[in-house]
Amino acid sequence: MVKDFTFATAMYESGDWESAPLLPGCVIDALARYTSLSIAPMGVNVALGSPEIFNFPFVWLTGHLPVRFTDQERKNLKQYVERGGFMMIDDHNHDQDGIFHKTMTEELTRTFGPLKEVPKTHELYHCFFEFSDGPPATVAELSGWGDQLVHKELHAVMPQGDRIGLLYSLKDYSSEWNMHPDTKQFSTVDPTRFGVNMIVYALTR
Amino acid sequence: MTAFERVQRTKRVLSVIIGSGAIFWAAAAVFATLIVGALLVAFVALPAASGLIVRLLAGLAGIGTLAYLLYRGRFAWSFPRVALWIEERAPELRYALVTAVDPRYAESMGPLMEPVVSKVDTGPFVRNAAVRAVLPGLGALVFTALIFGFMPTRIKSGINVGNLFSIKPPAPTIMGNRLTPLDATMTPPAYANLREQHLKEPSTITGLMGSHVVIRGDGEPDGITAVLQANDTTKKSVPVTADGNGWKIVMNFTDSIPAALTLKDAHPSRTKVYERMIVIDPRVDEAPTAKLLLPVRDTTLRTITGTLSLSADVNDDIGIAKAQFTYIVARMTEEEKAQVDSGVLVSQNFGGSRSGHLTFSIPYSKLPLAEGALLSVRAVVWDNNTLYGPRIGYSETRTIRIATKAEYDSLAVNPAPPSADTAMQTLRMLIIATEKLDKQKGKMERKKFIDSSYKLAGVAETIKQKVQRILDDQTGGGEVEANPLLQTALDAMFDATRSLMIAETGEAIPSLYKAFYALRDYSKAKKYYLRGKIQVEPVNIDRVRLAGKDSVKAMARKARPLDEADRTKLTADYASAIRALKSSPDSAVQIMTLMRVETLRKYPDLANALGDAVTAIQAKKDPALPLTTARQALNGQVGTLHTIPMWSGAW
Amino acid sequence: MPSRVNPTTSRSDERFETEETFFPVRATIEAVLHGVALVALAFLVWQAVHVLRQRPAVYAAGNSVRASLVRWTTRQAPEKAHVALDSVPTPDLRDWIAALPGAGTQMSWEGGSLRPSAVAVEPVPDPKHKVRIWVAAPAKSMVSLSDALGGIDSVDVETGGAVLTVPGVEGDVGATVNGTKATTVQRDSLTIKPVLVLGVASWEPKFIMASLEEYGWKVDSRFSISPKSGDVVQNVVPSAVQIDTSKYAAVIAVDSSAQRYAGQIAEYVRKGGGFIATGDAAALPAFAELMPGHPGTASQEHDFDLDSVTPRTAISLAAISQLKPNAVPIEMRAHEVAVAARRVGQGRVLQVGYLDTWRWRMGGIEKSIDPYRNWWATMVSSIAYAPRHPIANSSPVEPTPMASLVSILGTPTSQKPPSGSFLDDPRLLPALFGLLMFAFLVEWGSRRLRGQP
């Protein structure tokens, strides 16, 4: 029996990690709609500072509030990315002047060095659905929330060549996908398709 | 010539002789002091002002010697004593000369003494005195002056008399190898407050970024070139300039990338070209560290009262400039926006010391806290690096949460440690209190005993409710099966609460322990828990499976890069070096030195082994052992079996 | 002048008489020495004649063998010679000893302390560690390996020998055991093809693929995602999988999605291909006839123990049982078979009982993921198919020095031949001469000092 893919949300000490509780279900729904992968029907929450984080090679992390990793969280994060895990970190404020972005980028730079821009030609945007213009914009961006900018790029930690180990977004997918899955039927284009790309990338690259 | 004139003349000559001798000896003393001082400064680590001290001492030695010798020869300036001096050397005079020149008797006895005095020739005495007084001093002067003159300029420059009495040796018709011997002086950057280093024949120069390095050799600089190579493509020429009798190269460590400095000596007087490589290893100074001692752990406050006590140890390898405690207070507004206040609680200068301690206390009421806020505090430390820093170190962050009224009873308030641990701590206290009360049974007044037991029952009830909530969280409100340990703990707490309510403390204790051990085992088990207020439903996978309509266009996968791809090139370089070793050891040394530069950071074991091999080759010793060590480091982890296996050789 | 004692005798006579009387012992000693010199001279003459008439039996041991061979060959030509070897001689020395019987000397030898050893080198289908060196050596000995680039490594032998797998060797490979050096060269190279990894997109096939590629293997990964996307492939447009030995060195099947290739895989293995089955793939009925054994029920996985030096103890294991007769247990965990192998036709099959080995890569306590990568890479190279190509190499080598020695010189004898009489001792001649000269000089000197002629 192939082990289910389980959507994991990282719990960290210093902030509101649980700010997008409906997001896991929404992405799981998208994964089920477009793939035949074996998927756990519910997400789990797992502490970034605990060894259990390594049982989930795909983890989502978000929040609004300042981020200050504990030493154990930082150590786990480094090992997680270097060994082949895929962590997606999304700024739920969608604000490059916001405290989550500032503190998170400081923490990531301390741990990994400067983040790199992910080019539009990267496999991430072409490994399942085609996103030839790079990361899709979110309602929060287009509505002028947060910093009122549409961020055209995502940034990443790439421990080997251009393989993404940690993806960082200012685009607020946490708000975009924090909804009941059935709500998607009201959208012209399924906004969670990019989440499928992330997971397929993590599972196959 | 009268007796008087004779003595007068002898006095004059003696004065000159003694004076000259004293001057020669004084000058020799000056040179001798300078020689000894220059050698001491060059080979013994002395303070920077030593050069001045040596020069002063040399002056004093000269003056002192001159004064002493002139004092010893002072008789030459006394007329009677000169006459006595002559008498000592011509006893046949029998004091005739002294009498002849004594003013008391000169008139009366002088003419009588003249015939006796005139028979004596003072010439030989004076010549003798001249030889004994002047020649040794002159010889000492010539000797010390020659030694001083031929001393290498770089030794004399240590006492700042580099060009004084330098005697340039005659230019050789064919120049020898000017790349050996070499001296290097490495001056660390001022902020580091470290001593200057002097290196003889360096094969590697290691220093902090910002260090100033001067490499010196003998001979004129014409025909000597220096090239700094950081990797295969980046090459930079370094000027070689004259330095007294020798040549020098001046460099500054402006970055932290290792490089190879290749020196070439191609003097026009010969066809042979000498080469030498030195590894330049600039290092970045370490970032300072801060260890937060207080608060010990994250906490949750019910009310904004009390004092926040902070304490941290700070350390740095070079020196600490300052350290601070900083804070951030954040809370979510009703509009789902993050409201943030931040600032510095205290800042302290450490004046460059390498370690220190920072403490601070502040009442919570003075901070901009409110219900639901998160207060994060940490220590931040800056080092003294004024050149390309400062580098900053951070401690771990402590988070203090201010509970809202609604959240206080919920275990979701404490994210860590997990909920069962909190219940366990209260339960431990309850067990201690119950055991204590049970010991008082029969001794305490009955009403008081029942009241006390009833109070403990209230605490037990609270713990029971906490366990019930943990159970509800764990099962998702009954969706999944309960953890048997939690169920056991809950059942045991039911029993314990009931027993305490009826003041049966003896019956309550076993139940309390049962609950405690069950919760302890549960705490060790894996758990994924949900916060109390989140209600999520599982996705009905089967209902939506492959129901998506969007088209898919998957791109082919790109291959992952090979880990440690540089080992292939390093292996090929190593093979080239070994092949060159027998016929051209210098080429082998060059290849290995370049490999060292490439591997200093990423493969330090390999770099060290190559360094040992280069040292052995240059000293004409057997490099087999360090080369084997280098090969092992290059091969990395290899499969080794200490027996003959059954399958394939791999297992 | 008449002496006072005896007025008729001359003074010289008196002096002689006096000296004789005075030195009777000295005169006796001189006479003895004179006799000794005569005897030594006679013996020398007789020895010379004896040598011309008789050939000696001689003996040499250890470091003196080479010098003795020179003497026996150029001067002595002994009738019998025995050598005691304390190390296997170099081929030239060995051949020299072997040539002496042709010159009329009966040779025998012994080598009580010599131990047999052998070395062999083979190419390995492994992109990183391409050469395997096999050394046969006595237990508890230390083997030093070297090649044209110098020392490679040292290995201590537990039983039977040692095996070392290294990135590469150059020129002659030497294995020195107890002072004896065996040499060989690499005579083959390999063409290494890619590895095919089949599975549904999930963590196990992903991390196997990742680890093999990072190690240096080319990997063609076919991960099923959805019927609409097809499989995710590498570098080429998705195409049908053709599994044969011209395309792949090994095939790894992780789950039941490999069922559709069962026929191709079976044929591939019989023709020499290597196949690794793990997870659900090992339990597929379609692969049952290839598998070394039967997978059991999966055990519980647990956390990686901080003190453990065997990280695979934390991984879930479906132990392999009911091993087929030619199956070989490769790795055990406690008393259960965790990895087993067997040959099928010309190919090899490995069955891995561990499940979700990726947990070791992600959560293991070692500082690096090299152990995980190396473990999977070793499994692949142990079954990989790679056609061999000979390398032209005419270096003279001696891979089995002791065996060659016995083969050329014959069986060693533990007894020494009767050693020759002292007359055969080459030191006798100079000793006699020395004795002769000593006696002669001392006698003559003493006599002359006495004033005698």
Side-chain angles (χ1 to χ4, degrees):
Chain A
M1 186 69 179
V2 175
K3 199 159 183 167
D4 294 344
F5 168 81
T6 306
F7 190 101
T9 301
M11 300 187 293
Y12 54 98
E13 299 286 343
S14 56
D16 59 334
W17 56 268
E18 76 281 26
S19 60
L22 299 177
L23 182 144
C26 205
V27 176
I28 290 167
D29 176 90
L31 210 55
R33 282 177 189 273
Y34 296 109
T35 76
S36 50
L37 300 179
S38 179
I39 314 163
M42 275 181 72
V44 297
N45 302 322
V46 60
L48 181 58
S50 79
E52 289 139 23
I53 193 79
F54 300 108
N55 290 332
F56 301 97
F58 179 94
V59 162
W60 185 280
L61 190 152
T62 187
H64 301 93
L65 298 177
V67 176
R68 289 272 180 255
F69 290 136
T70 62
D71 284 349
Q72 188 60 47
E73 285 173 347
R74 187 173 303 108
K75 188 176 164 201
N76 279 7
L77 180 63
K78 195 165 164 59
Q79 177 175 331
Y80 185 91
V81 169
E82 286 175 353
R83 290 192 172 207
F86 184 101
M87 179 168 292
M88 169 63 188
I89 299 182
D90 181 59
D91 176 10
H92 208 159
N93 291 325
H94 171 57
D95 187 355
Q96 65 184 13
D97 292 320
I99 196 65
F100 179 92
H101 172 70
K102 284 184 178 171
T103 52
M104 180 58 87
T105 46
E106 185 199 299
E107 290 288 337
L108 293 179
T109 307
R110 268 178 73 190
T111 309
F112 298 107
L115 299 179
K116 297 177 191 167
E117 203 175 281
V118 181
K120 288 176 196 165
T121 51
H122 196 278
E123 279 184 292
L124 173 69
Y125 302 124
H126 308 280
C127 62
F128 195 76
F129 292 111
E130 179 75 15
F131 294 97
S132 48
D133 291 330
T138 61
V139 169
E141 287 182 305
L142 297 172
S143 304
W145 291 357
D147 57 20
Q148 300 169 4
L149 296 171
V150 176
H151 296 278
K152 292 211 183 297
E153 292 86 24
L154 299 178
H155 291 79
V157 173
M158 298 182 186
Q160 292 157 313
D162 66 350
R163 179 185 76 80
I164 296 174
L166 186 148
L167 187 64
Y168 181 75
S169 152
L170 263 167
K171 296 175 81 67
D172 197 7
Y173 290 115
S174 304
S175 294
E176 183 89 338
W177 303 340
N178 189 31
M179 58 180 170
H180 195 281
D182 288 343
T183 315
K184 285 192 287 187
Q185 64 183 307
F186 301 115
S187 305
T188 322
V189 174
D190 185 341
T192 53
R193 295 180 318 146
F194 188 51
V196 177
N197 267 46
M198 286 181 204
I199 293 168
V200 167
Y201 179 86
L203 281 172
T204 61
R205 258 77 175 169
Chain B
M1 192 186 296
T2 64
F4 189 88
E5 286 166 352
R6 206 182 287 274
V7 173
Q8 186 81 348
R9 191 182 70 179
T10 305
K11 178 173 172 285
R12 275 200 295 269
V13 172
L14 280 179
S15 301
V16 169
I17 287 168
I18 288 168
S20 309
I23 289 169
F24 291 149
W25 278 112
V30 168
F31 280 122
T33 309
L34 288 175
I35 289 164
V36 170
L39 289 172
L40 276 174
V41 167
F43 296 110
V44 178
L46 293 172
S50 307
L52 176 64
I53 294 169
V54 167
R55 294 199 300 279
L56 282 173
L57 282 175
L60 286 171
I63 293 167
T65 305
L66 183 70
Y68 170 68
L69 290 173
L70 286 176
Y71 178 76
R72 256 184 51 175
R74 66 191 181 284
F75 75 92
W77 288 279
S78 164
F79 198 87
R81 293 187 72 177
V82 171
L84 273 172
W85 183 82
I86 298 172
E87 288 279 357
E88 280 169 12
R89 282 148 185 82
E92 62 269 26
L93 283 169
R94 298 192 185 185
Y95 299 102
L97 184 63
V98 170
T99 308
V101 299
D102 190 335
R104 292 175 293 178
Y105 308 110
E107 239 184 82
S108 57
M109 303 290 286
L112 291 174
M113 300 294 128
E114 280 299 329
V116 178
V117 170
S118 60
K119 283 184 187 158
V120 173
D121 181 14
T122 58
F125 312 142
V126 172
R127 279 194 293 277
N128 218 17
V131 164
R132 287 216 310 266
V134 172
L135 281 187
L138 184 61
L141 173 61
V142 168
F143 180 69
T144 51
L146 281 174
I147 290 178
F148 187 79
F150 281 107
M151 264 174 79
T153 311
R154 66 179 181 281
I155 294 183
K156 288 192 287 191
S157 61
I159 54 170
N160 292 330
V161 287
N163 291 319
L164 188 64
F165 291 115
S166 283
I167 301 170
K168 206 168 176 174
T173 49
I174 294 182
M175 190 72 72
N177 183 359
R178 292 174 287 171
L179 301 183
T180 184
L182 283 189
D183 291 323
T185 306
M186 205 265 304
T187 308
Y191 79 84
N193 209 23
L194 295 171
R195 294 178 77 156
E196 194 174 77
Q197 280 185 41
H198 297 277
L199 307 164
K200 299 267 172 232
E201 298 284 27
S203 59
T204 307
I205 300 178
T206 302
L208 288 174
M209 262 177 70
S211 294
H212 178 77
V213 175
V214 181
I215 300 171
R216 290 188 172 91
D218 291 330
E220 59 196 48
D222 293 341
I224 297 179
T225 56
V227 173
L228 202 59
Q229 182 176 348
N231 53 42
D232 281 340
T233 53
T234 309
K235 286 187 187 181
K236 195 174 79 169
S237 191
V238 183
V240 181
T241 54
D243 179 45
N245 272 353
W247 57 268
K248 70 178 179 189
I249 290 169
V250 177
M251 294 190 319
N252 290 313
F253 287 179
T254 53
D255 57 39
S256 64
I257 302 171
L261 178 69
T262 306
L263 303 171
K264 265 195 193 150
D265 176 4
H267 196 269
S269 69
R270 52 167 154 75
T271 52
K272 189 174 167 74
V273 174
Y274 296 99
E275 267 198 39
R276 182 170 178 165
M277 289 178 97
I278 300 175
V279 174
I280 304 297
D281 183 14
R283 300 281 170 125
V284 176
D285 83 272
E286 308 265 337
T289 58
K291 184 174 160 65
L292 196 64
L293 304 172
L294 289 175
V296 175
R297 61 175 66 84
D298 298 342
T299 50
T300 303
L301 297 180
R302 232 195 296 181
T303 55
I304 306 171
T305 53
T307 304
L308 172 64
S309 295
L310 297 163
S311 169
D313 282 337
V314 291
N315 291 281
D316 187 57
D317 57 338
I318 304 293
I320 302 166
K322 69 176 181 188
Q324 293 177 345
F325 283 124
T326 63
Y327 75 93
I328 297 176
V329 174
R331 58 186 283 267
M332 291 300 292
T333 64
E334 282 175 8
E335 295 85 31
E336 292 277 318
K337 288 207 183 302
Q339 186 181 346
V340 173
D341 281 296
S342 60
V344 175
L345 291 170
V346 69
S347 185
Q348 182 177 327
N349 288 328
F350 283 84
S353 61
R354 294 193 180 178
S355 62
H357 190 70
L358 188 66
T359 55
F360 185 70
S361 294
I362 182 171
Y364 283 110
S365 54
K366 289 226 154 91
L367 294 166
L369 298 172
E371 276 184 23
L374 282 171
L375 167 65
S376 303
V377 291
R378 66 178 181 179
V380 186
V381 57
W382 287 259
D383 70 10
N384 244 352
N385 188 335
T386 50
L387 199 62
Y388 54 89
R391 301 203 71 193
I392 307 174
Y394 305 89
S395 73
E396 196 164 359
T397 301
R398 292 283 179 264
T399 304
I400 295 108
R401 294 172 182 268
I402 312 299
T404 60
K405 285 194 180 60
E407 273 185 290
Y408 173 64
D409 287 329
S410 165
L411 290 160
V413 168
N414 273 341
S419 319
D421 290 353
T422 318
M424 267 175 59
Q425 286 160 16
T426 318
L427 184 49
R428 196 196 305 269
M429 288 171 59
L430 177 61
I431 291 172
I432 293 169
T434 306
E435 283 177 335
K436 203 172 162 183
L437 182 65
D438 189 55
K439 281 185 183 139
Q440 297 293 317
K441 195 173 185 178
K443 297 174 194 169
M444 193 187 275
E445 192 207 328
R446 181 152 177 82
K447 188 174 183 312
K448 193 175 176 186
F449 182 85
I450 292 171
D451 287 345
S452 301
S453 183
Y454 200 79
K455 277 184 188 159
L456 291 179
V459 176
E461 176 65 22
T462 309
I463 294 171
K464 191 195 79 180
Q465 284 174 12
K466 278 187 183 178
V467 175
Q468 181 69 64
R469 286 196 190 95
I470 297 172
L471 199 73
D472 288 344
D473 278 351
Q474 187 253 321
T475 60
E479 286 285 315
V480 300
E481 212 172 289
N483 185 294
L485 291 167
L486 280 180
Q487 193 63 57
T488 301
L490 186 67
D491 294 344
M493 285 311 300
F494 260 115
D495 293 340
T497 307
R498 191 180 55 236
S499 298
L500 285 170
M501 283 178 81
I502 58 173
E504 288 295 336
T505 49
E507 283 180 18
I509 290 172
S511 300
L512 289 171
Y513 270 113
K514 191 173 175 184
F516 177 79
Y517 291 131
L519 284 175
R520 186 191 62 183
D521 290 343
Y522 172 74
S523 292
K524 288 183 194 167
K526 284 194 300 187
K527 49 199 174 292
Y528 312 117
Y529 57 94
L530 307 170
R531 288 220 190 217
K533 56 184 180 185
I534 300 169
Q535 297 296 331
V536 292
E537 293 170 8
V539 175
N540 190 338
I541 303 278
D542 294 331
R543 183 175 69 89
V544 299
R545 178 66 84 182
L546 293 175
K549 302 275 188 286
D550 297 55
S551 60
V552 175
K553 191 181 167 190
M555 173 187 166
R557 182 178 74 84
K558 269 174 30 180
R560 281 194 176 220
L562 175 66
D563 193 48
E564 295 184 341
D566 47 2
R567 278 197 190 261
T568 310
K569 178 187 172 293
L570 288 170
T571 305
D573 288 343
Y574 179 82
S576 303
I578 299 300
R579 284 185 213 112
L581 188 55
K582 277 199 180 105
S583 56
S584 174
D586 290 342
S587 302
V589 163
Q590 273 188 25
I591 297 170
M592 288 187 207
T593 305
L594 286 171
M595 284 178 72
R596 275 195 73 207
V597 170
E598 272 184 67
T599 57
L600 262 175
R601 299 283 181 263
K602 197 170 174 193
Y603 306 114
D605 290 344
L606 176 57
N608 289 341
L610 288 169
D612 293 340
V614 163
T615 305
I617 295 167
Q618 287 175 330
K620 301 212 185 334
K621 290 185 182 162
D622 182 13
L625 187 57
L627 284 175
T628 304
T629 309
R631 186 114 180 249
Q632 286 168 341
L634 197 54
N635 284 346
Q637 189 185 3
V638 301
T640 306
L641 294 177
H642 300 271
T643 185
I644 301 292
M646 283 194 300
W647 177 274
S648 154
W651 304 87
Chain C
M1 204 169 136
S3 92
R4 213 170 281 143
V5 174
N6 188 344
T8 59
T9 59
S10 68
R11 192 177 269 279
S12 62
D13 293 338
E14 282 177 359
R15 194 174 69 188
F16 179 71
E17 263 189 25
T18 306
E19 280 172 357
E20 279 240 330
T21 311
F22 216 70
F23 300 113
V25 174
R26 183 163 166 176
T28 308
I29 291 173
E30 287 168 11
V32 167
L33 287 172
H34 194 82
V36 166
L38 287 174
V39 168
L41 185 60
F43 210 17
L44 269 170
V45 170
W46 188 82
Q47 163 70 357
V49 171
H50 171 81
V51 165
L52 284 174
R53 292 181 61 188
Q54 297 279 349
R55 291 165 62 202
V58 292
Y59 171 83
N63 292 337
S64 67
V65 168
R66 187 175 283 273
S68 300
L69 285 174
V70 172
R71 199 171 54 250
W72 299 342
T73 307
T74 56
R75 298 205 301 273
Q76 265 185 302
E79 186 180 349
K80 291 180 188 172
H82 184 82
V83 293
L85 301 169
D86 58 2
S87 65
V88 175
T90 53
D92 65 313
L93 201 66
R94 177 198 65 203
D95 293 344
W96 194 348
I97 297 170
L100 279 176
T105 301
Q106 284 180 37
M107 285 301 304
S108 59
W109 70 283
E110 63 179 282
S113 62
L114 299 183
R115 293 286 175 267
S117 62
V119 66
V121 164
E122 62 168 348
V124 178
D126 185 311
K128 204 164 161 182
H129 297 108
K130 296 179 181 166
V131 172
R132 183 163 292 131
I133 307 172
W134 299 71
V135 179
K140 310 288 178 232
S141 56
M142 175 68 75
V143 177
S144 296
L145 293 164
S146 61
D147 65 357
L149 296 181
I152 297 174
D153 210 333
S154 296
V155 180
D156 50 298
V157 173
E158 288 173 6
T159 54
V163 183
L164 206 69
T165 312
V166 294
V169 293
E170 185 155 319
D172 291 359
V173 175
T176 306
V177 183
N178 294 335
T180 300
K181 188 171 183 180
T183 56
T184 188
V185 286
Q186 184 179 346
R187 300 207 186 273
D188 303 288
S189 66
L190 301 177
T191 302
I192 300 180
K193 307 270 183 199
V195 174
L196 175 67
V197 179
L198 300 167
V200 174
S202 67
W203 300 123
E204 183 71 346
K206 176 248 174 72
F207 281 109
I208 293 172
M209 170 275 293
S211 301
L212 292 177
E213 264 189 350
E214 289 160 1
Y215 186 86
W217 280 100
K218 280 194 172 52
V219 177
D220 183 358
S221 53
R222 304 287 177 139
F223 299 154
S224 308
I225 304 177
S226 82
K228 294 182 181 180
S229 75
D231 294 337
V232 175
V233 301
Q234 176 189 329
N235 289 340
V236 295
V237 173
S239 61
V241 171
Q242 282 182 327
I243 304 176
D244 68 60
T245 50
S246 65
K247 286 197 158 50
Y248 299 113
V251 174
I252 303 175
V254 181
D255 52 49
S256 53
S257 68
Q259 168 121 17
R260 51 189 157 143
Y261 305 111
Q264 284 193 59
I265 290 172
E267 186 62 22
Y268 165 79
V269 170
R270 287 194 192 90
K271 286 187 177 167
F275 178 49
I276 298 179
T278 182
D280 293 345
L284 280 176
F287 292 136
E289 69 165 73
L290 298 176
M291 292 294 106
H294 230 63
T297 313
S299 68
Q300 182 67 32
E301 63 189 27
H302 51 268
D303 290 341
F304 291 94
D305 187 348
L306 285 175
D307 293 332
S308 172
V309 295
T310 50
R312 295 194 284 284
T313 53
I315 300 174
S316 174
L317 171 67
I320 304 166
S321 60
Q322 301 171 44
L323 289 178
K324 290 182 180 141
N326 69 339
V328 176
I330 298 294
E331 184 173 314
M332 304 290 291
R333 191 171 92 174
H335 300 293
E336 296 177 313
V337 178
V339 180
R342 73 186 278 253
R343 292 191 180 277
V344 177
Q346 295 179 50
R348 289 179 281 192
V349 176
L350 208 68
Q351 182 176 353
V352 179
Y354 291 114
L355 304 172
D356 296 328
T357 63
W358 62 266
R359 289 188 58 242
W360 173 19
R361 171 164 169 146
M362 282 297 294
I365 56 143
E366 302 105 331
K367 284 205 164 88
S368 91
I369 49 178
D370 278 345
Y372 177 82
R373 278 192 200 133
N374 291 345
W375 186 69
W376 265 106
T378 303
M379 285 202 288
V380 170
S381 77
S382 73
I383 49 91
Y385 167 79
R388 288 198 180 202
H389 313 284
I391 302 173
N393 200 324
S394 56
S395 299
V397 292
E398 185 51 80
T400 53
M402 182 68 177
S404 300
L405 184 69
V406 172
S407 163
I408 291 172
L409 294 188
T411 313
T413 61
S414 55
Q415 292 172 348
K416 290 185 212 174
S419 56
S421 65
F422 80 97
L423 293 174
D424 296 325
D425 193 331
R427 294 169 296 182
L428 181 61
L429 193 67
L432 280 174
F433 184 72
L435 180 64
L436 167 69
M437 291 309 297
F438 173 75
F440 171 67
L441 282 171
V442 169
E443 186 268 332
W444 176 81
S446 175
R447 198 160 30 79
R448 293 296 290 168
L449 284 169
R450 281 195 293 118
Q452 293 298 308

